[in-house]
Amino acid sequence: MTTIELRSRPRLRRGVRLTWDKTRETHVLLFPEGVLVPNKTAAAVLELCDGTATVAEITADLAQRYQGVQTQDVQDVLVRLEERRVVEWT
């Protein structure tokens, strides 16, 4: 398992795009190998993966919007996204 530090800066890999699917009424992650339908938690994290915000900043932003956000939960989501090869680090 990858260790993600609080100062790490995640971004979507080249060719990956998060968009809103009107038909499904949910976010979808489009990438060359296919489509992922992230849950609401993953979509909230992905929206903040711009390559400039750190994991700590992403966690703080989410904690302002949602109750009970834990750093470890955000890191776990990012590990899974990295394993799916949709997120990389700057």
Side-chain angles (χ1 to χ4, degrees):
M1 177 181 271
T2 303
T3 302
I4 297 174
E5 297 181 13
L6 294 178
R7 67 177 185 262
S8 299
R9 298 176 189 277
R11 70 174 177 201
L12 298 179
R13 284 184 174 270
R14 186 171 182 224
V16 177
R17 186 169 49 111
L18 181 68
T19 189
W20 181 258
D21 185 318
K22 293 177 192 174
T23 304
R24 294 179 179 134
E25 295 185 352
T26 190
H27 282 98
V28 292
L29 197 59
L30 306 173
F31 54 102
E33 296 83 22
V35 176
L36 265 175
V37 181
N39 63 29
K40 289 181 182 184
T41 302
V45 172
L46 284 163
E47 287 178 317
L48 300 172
C49 291
D50 60 5
T52 59
T54 65
V55 173
E57 292 167 338
I58 290 170
T59 302
D61 188 314
L62 293 172
Q64 289 180 351
R65 292 193 271 167
Y66 306 104
Q67 200 170 7
V69 173
Q70 300 293 314
T71 301
Q72 187 61 53
D73 295 336
V74 173
Q75 289 172 312
D76 291 345
V77 168
L78 288 168
V79 166
R80 288 192 302 273
L81 292 168
E82 182 183 37
E83 288 170 353
R84 298 294 302 258
R85 301 188 45 83
V86 297
V87 169
E88 63 185 9
W89 309 97
T90 62

